[in-house]
Amino acid sequence: MGVKVYGPPMSTCTARVISTLEEMGAEYEVVPIDFEAGEHKQPPHLARNPFGQVPAFEDGDLMLFESRAIARYVARKYKSSGPDLLREGNLQESAMVDLWLEVESQQYNPAIAPIVYQCLVIPMRGGVADQKLIDANVEKLGKVLDVYEDHLSKTKYLAGDFFSLADLSHLPYTHYFMATPYASLFESRPHVQAWWQDLSSRPAVRKTAAAMPTSR
Amino acid sequence: MGVKVYGPTMSTCTARVLLCLEEVGAEYELVPINLSTGEHKQPAHLARNPIGQVPAFEDGALMLHESRAIARYVSRKYKSSGADLLKEGGLEESAMVDVWLEVESHQFDPAIGPIFFQSFIVPMIGGVPDQTVINTNLEKLCKVLDIYEARLSKTKYLAGDFFSLADLSHVPLLYYFMGSPHASVVNSRPHVKAWWEAVSSRPACKKVTSAMPGSA
């Protein structure tokens, strides 16, 4: 029996899991969760994810949540038939994958997520974006991207000259960020821009992104 | 040659790495970094951690940052029958370790972090704690701890009936928090309280926390 992903495919964190499944060539089923109806806060979903968020992930008896943990599981489970996204056979390479996975999680995500939320999600719900918050995070993101620019001038991908889960984990928010007025933050940094072009042109990434509409 | 950790003992993220090194019984050298003089933003440290934070970690030619990535590296490098903090030999067990590592990172830390900052850091730099921030985050933390209480009523530790890096990763901030006036939110949840007592009484935890300042 195949694995199941519970969540809307357009959700950033659900897309993180779907893109990993696609990269690994795994069979999977997406079970949509209706955000607008608050389905993620109802008992059936809370039994899958007690934090009431998406995605959740089911593989037989195993129920997982937290997209970054699910992605690791998928990368490990399908390793023999797909690419080596974690490099766990090599101590130095896996250390670099883990490092840049944490940089995404602790530095990149906190700066980029509020910009995406304010520019795209809030207006979609009929609200007014907080420009001060956007400006503060654009400044933060710029500093983070300077570190990426310097790093990517030395290696082709984040963990080294090999594509890894660290690169892939940046897809969801970056995809939506490119639909905000701030995409120039990437355009003005040639190595970051080239890295994003490369990442976003991968077949698995294009397929995942097709379910993530950016026009309102 | 042994490994080096760069950072102050009182720093929660530096402590996360030290806890891991102690748990696996590794030899290491701690090189203090003086945050009050801005040493972490100087070129010598930026060469180790371009984000300009602590800790950084050196193992021969390998230089790492992001405490959670360093902890994974240490757990992997020094893995033995006595210290298997990641359970990477088992697909399901490692998945549970990863889930609760991400919960620490994305649910627990964002709630407890601001309480720690307001209660400990703000007074230390001569400011007045923002009680609204503390109260808002205490409410968040209580909801998170309700989920922990439910989980720990089923398993002895977070990832299962085995101690793992997921438990250890909570120690630095919880240590400080339990010395604050808000400890009751842990003590009023019997399974969380018992879990904290079991984790914090481990020799490695006692050794590292004894070098961290006492209470708020």
Side-chain angles (χ1 to χ4, degrees):
Chain A
M1 190 178 69
V3 303
K4 289 184 185 170
V5 185
Y6 294 85
M10 63 167 292
S11 124
T12 48
C13 292
T14 306
R16 178 175 282 115
V17 173
I18 291 175
S19 64
T20 311
L21 287 160
E22 286 290 337
E23 277 287 337
M24 302 308 290
E27 297 265 324
Y28 64 95
E29 179 191 343
V30 178
V31 180
I33 297 290
D34 188 346
F35 240 63
E36 298 306 309
E39 189 181 351
H40 52 310
K41 305 288 183 192
Q42 303 298 318
H45 190 74
L46 290 175
R48 301 174 197 119
N49 183 339
F51 292 92
Q53 293 173 334
V54 288
F57 177 90
E58 188 180 339
D59 186 2
D61 289 332
L62 189 66
M63 189 68 81
L64 304 177
F65 49 94
E66 293 297 329
S67 64
R68 291 172 184 82
I70 299 166
R72 271 187 191 272
Y73 174 79
V74 168
R76 229 171 243 147
K77 173 173 169 144
Y78 297 98
K79 194 185 124 180
S80 54
S81 54
D84 186 359
L85 295 181
L86 292 171
R87 302 275 159 154
E88 287 179 332
N90 181 307
L91 206 52
Q92 281 79 23
E93 286 180 355
S94 60
M96 296 313 295
V97 175
D98 288 338
L99 168 53
W100 287 93
L101 278 167
E102 284 301 320
V103 172
E104 183 278 320
S105 186
Q106 303 294 331
Q107 311 292 344
Y108 187 87
N109 187 61
I112 203 171
I115 301 168
V116 166
Y117 193 76
Q118 292 296 325
C119 290
L120 300 181
V121 179
I122 296 242
M124 193 173 77
R125 295 185 181 160
V128 177
D130 181 342
Q131 195 58 45
K132 263 185 75 178
L133 193 62
I134 293 174
D135 293 341
N137 283 289
V138 165
E139 200 184 319
K140 259 175 81 170
L141 183 61
K143 289 183 178 141
V144 171
L145 289 178
D146 285 340
V147 173
Y148 278 57
E149 179 65 16
D150 181 68
H151 183 68
L152 290 165
S153 69
K154 296 170 199 155
T155 57
K156 186 171 183 209
Y157 296 102
L158 288 171
D161 288 324
F162 53 90
F163 180 76
S164 77
L165 190 64
D167 306 288
L168 192 61
S169 204
H170 289 74
L171 158 68
Y173 281 99
T174 311
H175 168 78
Y176 283 123
F177 180 81
M178 291 311 179
T180 72
Y182 303 97
S184 58
L185 284 179
F186 277 66
E187 288 152 19
S188 58
R189 293 169 173 84
H191 295 93
V192 175
Q193 178 74 343
W195 165 78
W196 173 245
Q197 309 272 34
D198 182 298
L199 172 59
S200 52
S201 63
R202 295 176 73 88
V205 172
R206 286 162 74 112
K207 187 172 174 196
T208 308
M212 299 166 74
T214 52
S215 52
R216 280 166 259 166
Chain B
M1 190 178 69
V3 303
K4 288 184 185 170
V5 184
Y6 297 85
T9 36
M10 62 161 290
S11 135
T12 52
C13 292
T14 305
R16 177 176 283 115
V17 174
L18 300 181
L19 284 160
C20 201
L21 287 160
E22 288 290 340
E23 275 287 338
V24 301
E27 297 266 323
Y28 65 93
E29 180 190 344
L30 178 63
V31 180
I33 297 290
N34 191 333
L35 298 183
S36 58
T37 61
E39 189 181 354
H40 53 313
K41 305 290 184 191
Q42 301 300 315
H45 191 73
L46 290 174
R48 301 173 196 121
N49 182 341
I51 311 282
Q53 291 173 339
V54 286
F57 176 89
E58 187 180 339
D59 187 2
L62 186 67
M63 188 69 81
L64 301 176
H65 52 100
E66 293 300 329
S67 64
R68 292 173 184 84
I70 299 167
R72 273 188 189 269
Y73 174 78
V74 167
S75 300
R76 217 172 260 145
K77 172 172 173 161
Y78 295 97
K79 190 193 126 169
S80 65
S81 55
D84 184 4
L85 295 174
L86 293 171
K87 298 278 175 175
E88 287 181 328
L91 205 52
E92 298 199 359
E93 286 183 333
S94 60
M96 296 315 296
V97 175
D98 288 340
V99 164
W100 288 92
L101 277 167
E102 290 300 323
V103 169
E104 183 278 319
S105 192
H106 290 284
Q107 312 290 348
F108 180 83
D109 188 88
I112 203 172
I115 300 168
F116 165 75
F117 187 78
Q118 293 297 327
S119 304
F120 288 85
I121 305 294
V122 167
M124 200 172 76
I125 56 179
V128 177
D130 185 332
Q131 204 56 47
T132 311
V133 170
I134 293 177
N135 291 342
T136 306
N137 284 287
L138 271 173
E139 205 183 309
K140 266 174 74 171
L141 182 63
C142 283
K143 290 186 177 140
V144 170
L145 289 180
D146 284 342
I147 294 169
Y148 278 53
E149 180 64 15
R151 171 66 181 169
L152 292 164
S153 69
K154 294 176 201 148
T155 56
K156 188 170 181 209
Y157 296 100
L158 289 171
D161 289 326
F162 53 90
F163 178 77
S164 77
L165 188 64
D167 306 290
L168 195 63
S169 206
H170 289 74
V171 171
L173 277 171
L174 254 181
Y175 166 74
Y176 282 125
F177 183 83
M178 293 309 286
S180 81
H182 313 296
S184 57
V185 307
V186 167
N187 290 327
S188 60
R189 290 168 171 81
H191 294 93
V192 180
K193 181 181 176 188
W195 164 78
W196 171 245
E197 281 165 3
V199 171
S200 56
S201 61
R202 294 174 73 89
C205 292
K206 286 166 81 123
K207 185 175 174 191
V208 173
T209 55
S210 66
M212 292 159 71
S215 52

